[in-house]
Structure formats: C-alpha cells, structure tokens
Amino acid sequence: MYEAFYGFRDLPFRLTPDPDYLFLSANHQEALGHLLFGINEGSGVVVITGEIGAGKTTLIRTLVRNLDAQTTVAYVFNPVLSALELLQTINADLGLPATSTSKKELTDALNRFLLSQQAAGRRTVVIIDEAQNLEPAVLEQLRLLSNLETERAKLLQIILVGQPELAEILARPDLTQLDQRVTLRWHLHPLPSGDTGAYIRHRLQVASDGRTSVVFTPGGIRLVHTYSGGVPRLINVLCHRALLVAYTREERQISVAVVRQAMDELRRHRQETRSLLKNRSVAFNVAAAVAMLLVIGVFSVVAASRGWIPQPWGVAITHKDEPANGSAVSVVTEKSGAGQQDPQPTGASSETLPQSWSLLTPQTVLVSPVEVPPSNTTPEAKASTVPDPTSATPSSASVRKEKERAATEAFLRDLRAVNMKESAFQASDALLRAWGVEGIRAGEARNSNIDLAALARARRLAYLPFSGSLNLVGLLDLPIILEIMLPDMQDTRFVLLLGLSQDQCRIFLDYERELPLQVLSENWFGKGYLLWKDFEEIGTRLTVGSVGLNIQRLHRLLAKTPGAGEYTMPAVGETIFNRQTEASVARFQRTQRLTPDGVVGPLTMILLYNTVPTYSHPRLG
C-alpha cells in the first residue's frame, strides 16, 4: 500500500521470519554463534527459548541459511504430531521412505541414512520449532533418536526451539533423561532500548535497498520501545501502523505524534474487540439458556406422551397426528428444512470434532434470518413506503464503495470472533475440498490440531509453506491459506484465498466473500500454506548430477513448455540432470520471474505444471 510512496521493494515490517531482515543484536548474535558452534562440535540436543515474537524462527532460518553444504537439515515447524507422525515427517524431509506405519522400519531407515551420511563426512540436524507443543510421548521419541550414535559421535543433532515453558517441560521428572542430554541452552531476550532504533533502521534499509526516504525520530523510537518492550514482533506491528498513518498524511518523518496516533488506533481496535467478544459472550449465554429451556420443554412433552413422567393431574397428553411407530419428533433448525434432519458435513463426524468446527465447503453460505417488519394496511402507510421519485439516486461507484466497506467490516468482525484453531480447521478443510479431495476426516484432527502436511500426503498432494508477496501468490495461481494478523489480536487467524484480481480478492472464512484487495495489503504479512500436485512424480531438490527416471520425466515436461522448440533442449530420454538440463531450467525460471539458478524446487515444479494445460488443478480464478 505505502511501498511505492516510500520507495520500498517490500514491506519492511512484515511478520514473516525472513532471514534477510534478521537484526543481530548482541543476544541474537551470541545465540547464532552458539548454534553454529554446537552443530560443528556435534552436540546432541540444543534448546533455544524466547518469548513470543522474540525472533526465534527468524534466527533458526538464518542458521539454516548459514550452514555449509555438508549439513543436511530436517525442519519440523508444525510439531503437533504423534511419535509416529514425527518419524514420518523427519524421514520425508530427509528424502527417505516415510509411508510405513512401523516405528522400527522408519527408525531403521533413518539410522542407515545417518550412518551413510557420517561415512561421507556429512552432518544431519533435526530442527523442531514451537517445541513447547510437543507431547511427552513425542519428546520420549526424540530422546530415543538422540541415542542413534557410534562409539565416537552422535549421528543426529536435535535443536528444540520454543517459548519459555519449554524449559519448564524439560525439567519435569519424567523427562529427566532427555533433559540430561541437552548440551547447550540459550534464551533470547527482548531488544534493549539502544537496539530498538538500530532494528528499525535496519529493516528500513533492507526494504529500500539502502535508499530509504523515511526516518523515525528519536522521540518516535523511544515511544516504540516503550510500547513494545523491545519485542521484535510488537515493534513490527506498531511501525507498520505508524507508516500507514504517515502515508495518509503524506509525511516521511515518523514523529512522536504519528507513533502516538498509531498506538491509539491499535488500542482502540483492541478495546472494540474486547467489547465485541463481551457482547457475544452475553448473547451466547442468553441463547444457551433459551435453547436449554426449549430442550427441556420438548423432552417434557415427549416424555409425558410416552408415559415416562406421571401426569400430575391424571391427564394424558396425546397427539392425533403422531406416527404409529412412535418415531422421534423432528426439530427444524435454521440449517435444515421442515421435516429434515440437519445434515452431517461430508468427510468427518461432528461427534468426534468440536461442535464449533463446522466443516464448510468453499460453496457453503450461511444466511441469517431477516426480520420482516409487519405490513401496514392503511393507504397512508402504504404510500409512505413508496420512494420519492425526486430523491437523489446514489451513483454506482458510491454503492460499490459502501458494499465494500460493509463487507470489509463484516470480515474483520468475523475474523476477530473466530479463534485460531477454528480458523485453521476451516481453512484447511476448505483447501482440501478446493482440490476436489476429501475434507478432514474424523480422527485427523488430533487434540484440535491440524497437520496439513500429513493431510496432503494422505491425499497424494504436496504441502508447501509459503513466504512471499501477493505478486508471487498470483504467479503461482493456487488457492493458499493466509496467516492474517490484525493489530489488536494476540495470535494469528487463517483464511483461504480462492480468487485474486487487480483490486479484489475472494476469501473463504465461514463462507466465500468478495473483498477489496486492500484488506490483504494491510493485514497479511507474507506467510501462507498451499498444496500442489506433482502429477508426474518428478520430485524436487533436483540439480546437476541427479539421476533417475524422474529426470527423464522432467525432460519431457520441459519439452512441453511454451517456446521450448526455440532452444536446444536435453534429450527427452536422458536420465541424467546435466548442464543442458540446468540451462533449460534456468531459462524457464527466467521467463517465470524466478531466480534463474537452474535448480528444480517446488516453485519451479508448480510453474512448470501451470504452463502445460493438460494438468488440471484449482486456480485463483
């Protein structure tokens, strides 16, 4: 929104963990140094803790970027898994067989891989983010994995990253054996006041390629630090809002007045949210009480008619139109028609899932009943309802603007009302259905948590975490789950993007909504999750030297891309990824505005399939 005005190539205060934006305070620099040292020394288990928003994930992604080519990494960023699922995830990330349901088979395959890695002089590291969410059984499985070793060295290094309660969990008596294997611990602290200004200037410099035209005054920086307490995520939220405020004023200096207005807006949004939740809570309690009275009333009538409850005055209640077989009375709800049972959602049983998690397809629309005022019977009253032909008719532009405003307010209100897990469930289920596969089944939501990678594997789809811009989203042309963070919310919400145009987007949250694209520009900071399909099972991470029939299939696919006949292509039957293959891949990447490195990764594969019309998949139409 304000990027062009300030000359940014990117939003400087996005909430995504982009290593390009890592600011190495003294504490962060020491943490990174300890991590690199621990990996080089072959430490068994390393634990990194920090408060929410302290920069843990950004630090870890910077670590991965700084590791040499002799280190293989498995990065588990969604740890809400069973012990079996954790093994499957690690093996899959390392390119090993991962479909077995036997822990022994998976561990044996991993052990063979680790031995071969050590023989080749390579290291293997497993990084688990948000590790405070791991269940005790999974932590025990990690302890067993830490036992994979030779007489001289550990075969597997494990890095656990999480919030401060991770240290408390590891201190439990039943986890003593794992805690004793921790060789390095580090806690990330908030930025001190002197580093907050340097952090802000660093992000502005990165976003503008060193040519920033905006400056935060010393007073504005002090106010940012006071508000945020030095927590990088809170600094980002406030600075992003301050830039929006300054942009509306066409100012390039972020003063105390600008920061204070941004703070007021954030606090006002938070107060409105609390008021909304309070009102909804009261309304819910009233509705629950009414519903309970209705249930008791219906039960009393049915029970009395069956003779379950003795009638106090000896009067029997009968129903002349009651079916002879005594079938249960059908209750009509808003969702069901007269005499119909409320249908169960396809693919999952509502008995095994939280009641608030309704499985809605992208086509589902819930319409609230509209109160119809009583009709007036007098001629005067009827005449009063006839519009005055002389009254001004609003222009189509103003009508559209008002509709967009109302749609935006409704979306933001509903987004605040839904909790994080419920929004994740709805978005994940809708994404699966957008691909034409079965939605989330009973038993696939363990402890109210969703493992999208496992859901994708079970349906022969591939899962890809995303970090980028709306331009890249449009280029990939696939439905994508977006992480939305409103300034007044403590945690994220998830929505599904189903359509994208120049100034509009189609979002699924409870139902499909047409919204101004500005809603995403202001509240999405570049993080998302998408599914794709490797139709030819070619795979990813392919580079010069890769060998196999999948390389042959890659050559056939490259030959089908537009303009392929104008260049010298590798032989279709060739099974080796050679320099000619690398040049062809780089040429294709250049036409698609990707980095032309000649390496086949997920983005390259998605765009390859997009350019060949024979591969059908959902698009952002």
Side-chain angles (χ1 to χ4, degrees):
M1 183 176 180
Y2 52 69
E3 297 99 302
F5 179 75
Y6 291 121
F8 296 140
R9 62 171 173 79
D10 194 8
L11 289 170
F13 296 104
R14 287 188 298 123
L15 297 182
T16 52
D18 189 342
D20 287 340
Y21 285 91
L22 177 67
F23 173 75
L24 286 176
S25 68
N27 186 243
H28 286 74
Q29 193 164 4
E30 287 186 52
L32 182 59
H34 277 75
L35 283 170
L36 290 169
F37 175 79
I39 291 175
N40 290 330
E41 290 297 308
S43 300
V45 180
V46 177
V47 175
I48 301 293
T49 57
E51 297 291 346
I52 297 173
K56 301 182 296 296
T57 302
T58 305
L59 177 71
I60 290 302
R61 296 200 177 185
T62 303
L63 168 71
V64 172
R65 179 180 285 189
N66 282 274
L67 293 175
D68 58 32
Q70 298 304 308
T71 305
T72 303
V73 176
Y75 186 13
V76 181
F77 44 84
N78 178 23
V80 187
L81 307 167
S82 66
L84 174 63
E85 291 167 339
L86 177 69
L87 282 172
Q88 291 173 330
T89 301
I90 292 173
N91 281 19
D93 217 31
L94 295 174
L96 304 176
T99 56
S100 173
T101 56
S102 166
K103 291 183 186 179
K104 182 180 184 305
E105 289 180 6
L106 293 167
T107 305
D108 288 346
L110 177 60
N111 191 47
R112 289 192 296 270
F113 172 79
L114 295 176
L115 289 170
S116 66
Q117 288 287 96
Q118 189 200 41
R122 296 176 60 84
R123 294 181 292 268
T124 305
V125 180
V126 171
I127 301 173
I128 301 182
D129 207 349
E130 301 294 342
Q132 76 279 353
N133 294 324
L134 292 171
E135 296 179 358
V138 181
L139 289 168
E140 174 62 17
Q141 182 64 58
L142 285 173
R143 183 189 69 80
L144 295 175
L145 291 181
S146 71
N147 289 335
L148 298 176
E149 58 190 1
T150 64
E151 294 178 354
R152 294 180 176 272
K154 292 283 186 183
L155 294 177
L156 182 65
Q157 294 171 264
I158 299 171
I159 299 177
L160 301 179
V161 185
Q163 296 170 24
E165 52 262 39
L166 174 60
E168 300 173 9
I169 293 171
L170 293 175
R172 287 168 38 178
D174 56 323
L175 295 174
T176 300
Q177 293 188 66
L178 175 60
D179 192 49
Q180 291 175 349
R181 285 166 169 76
V182 177
T183 57
L184 175 64
R185 305 173 196 264
W186 194 266
H187 183 75
L188 288 178
H189 297 283
L191 299 176
S193 57
D195 280 347
T196 298
Y199 173 85
I200 293 171
R201 288 189 291 273
H202 169 74
R203 295 190 73 99
L204 293 174
Q205 289 287 333
V206 173
S208 62
D209 293 326
R211 299 185 298 273
T212 181
S213 64
V214 62
V215 61
F216 280 69
T217 66
I221 291 173
R222 285 194 297 271
L223 200 54
V224 169
H225 181 77
T226 300
Y227 174 88
S228 66
V231 176
R233 182 177 296 171
L234 296 180
I235 294 174
N236 288 356
V237 169
L238 180 56
C239 288
H240 171 67
R241 177 66 64 163
L243 286 174
L244 279 174
V245 171
Y247 168 71
T248 60
R249 299 180 177 186
E250 298 187 356
E251 295 179 3
R252 298 184 183 277
Q253 181 170 285
I254 312 302
S255 62
V256 170
V258 171
V259 175
R260 183 167 288 117
Q261 181 178 334
M263 291 169 56
D264 290 342
E265 291 181 3
L266 294 178
R267 287 168 178 159
R268 185 167 62 251
H269 282 305
R270 188 175 296 113
Q271 290 169 356
E272 289 173 355
T273 301
R274 289 172 179 168
S275 176
L276 175 64
L277 294 177
K278 180 179 179 181
N279 292 338
R280 284 186 174 236
S281 178
V282 173
F284 174 79
N285 291 336
V286 173
V290 172
M292 180 63 70
L293 290 174
L294 287 174
V295 170
I296 293 173
V298 171
F299 174 78
S300 300
V301 171
V302 175
S305 66
R306 299 293 190 272
W308 301 340
I309 302 175
Q311 298 302 315
W313 299 289
V315 179
I317 300 177
T318 60
H319 298 275
K320 295 182 179 179
D321 55 348
E322 182 177 354
N325 60 3
S327 60
V329 176
S330 173
V331 180
V332 180
T333 68
E334 286 183 30
K335 296 181 184 177
S336 60
Q340 295 176 328
Q341 296 296 324
D342 198 4
Q344 292 292 326
T346 304
S349 170
S350 61
E351 296 176 0
T352 60
L353 300 174
Q355 192 172 2
S356 60
W357 284 6
S358 56
L359 297 181
L360 304 177
T361 66
Q363 289 75 34
T364 304
V365 178
L366 302 184
V367 182
S368 300
V370 178
E371 183 179 350
V372 180
S375 61
N376 296 314
T377 56
T378 63
E380 293 80 8
K382 290 181 179 179
S384 66
T385 62
V386 179
D388 181 2
T390 62
S391 62
T393 303
S395 66
S396 59
S398 63
V399 170
R400 178 185 175 186
K401 187 174 182 180
E402 177 59 27
K403 286 184 177 180
E404 288 181 349
R405 185 194 62 78
T408 300
E409 289 182 356
F411 170 71
L412 296 177
R413 182 181 65 248
D414 293 345
L415 193 66
R416 292 185 176 98
V418 70
N419 64 50
M420 181 174 67
K421 290 183 178 180
E422 186 177 354
S423 68
F425 185 93
Q426 289 189 7
S428 301
D429 185 73
L431 178 59
L432 292 173
R433 295 179 187 277
W435 272 90
V437 297
E438 184 181 9
I440 299 176
R441 298 188 291 264
E444 288 186 314
R446 296 182 61 258
N447 298 325
S448 304
N449 291 294
I450 302 298
D451 179 5
L452 195 53
L455 295 176
R457 284 196 303 270
R459 292 155 177 81
R460 303 185 65 82
L461 296 172
Y463 163 71
L464 180 66
F466 175 91
S467 180
S469 64
L470 280 175
N471 288 335
L472 182 56
V473 169
L475 182 65
L476 296 178
D477 197 19
L478 290 173
I480 178 172
I481 295 175
L482 305 178
E483 277 197 22
I484 301 293
M485 171 68 82
L486 299 185
D488 55 329
M489 295 194 311
Q490 295 298 318
D491 48 22
T492 55
R493 301 291 188 272
F494 300 89
V495 300
L496 178 63
L497 178 66
L498 290 169
L500 194 63
S501 65
Q502 185 173 0
D503 59 352
Q504 295 285 313
C505 59
R506 187 156 49 92
I507 295 290
F508 177 78
L509 176 67
D510 292 335
Y511 57 88
E512 286 188 24
R513 308 159 185 255
E514 294 287 342
L515 297 170
L517 192 58
Q518 182 179 349
V519 176
L520 292 186
S521 302
E522 294 179 353
N523 299 292
W524 180 61
F525 294 90
K527 190 172 182 179
Y529 310 91
L530 57 83
L531 302 180
W532 65 286
K533 187 172 180 63
D534 190 357
F535 295 93
E536 300 293 341
E537 298 184 354
I538 293 172
T540 56
R541 300 182 185 178
L542 305 178
T543 186
V544 172
S546 298
V547 180
L549 293 177
N550 59 327
I551 305 302
Q552 190 179 78
R553 295 193 290 272
L554 171 64
H555 289 155
R556 285 201 296 264
L557 184 59
L558 284 168
K560 296 178 183 178
T561 57
E566 302 174 11
Y567 304 95
T568 302
M569 302 289 291
V572 172
E574 179 61 67
T575 59
I576 299 176
F577 194 118
N578 53 34
R579 292 296 177 186
Q580 201 172 45
T581 309
E582 183 183 49
S584 298
V585 171
R587 192 181 304 115
F588 172 79
Q589 290 170 330
R590 197 174 292 109
T591 64
Q592 300 296 312
R593 293 176 288 171
L594 294 179
T595 302
D597 56 8
V599 177
V600 176
L603 299 185
T604 299
M605 287 305 308
I606 290 171
L607 294 175
L608 276 170
Y609 286 127
N610 281 0
T611 59
V612 180
T614 55
Y615 300 106
S616 176
H617 59 78
R619 295 178 181 268
L620 294 176

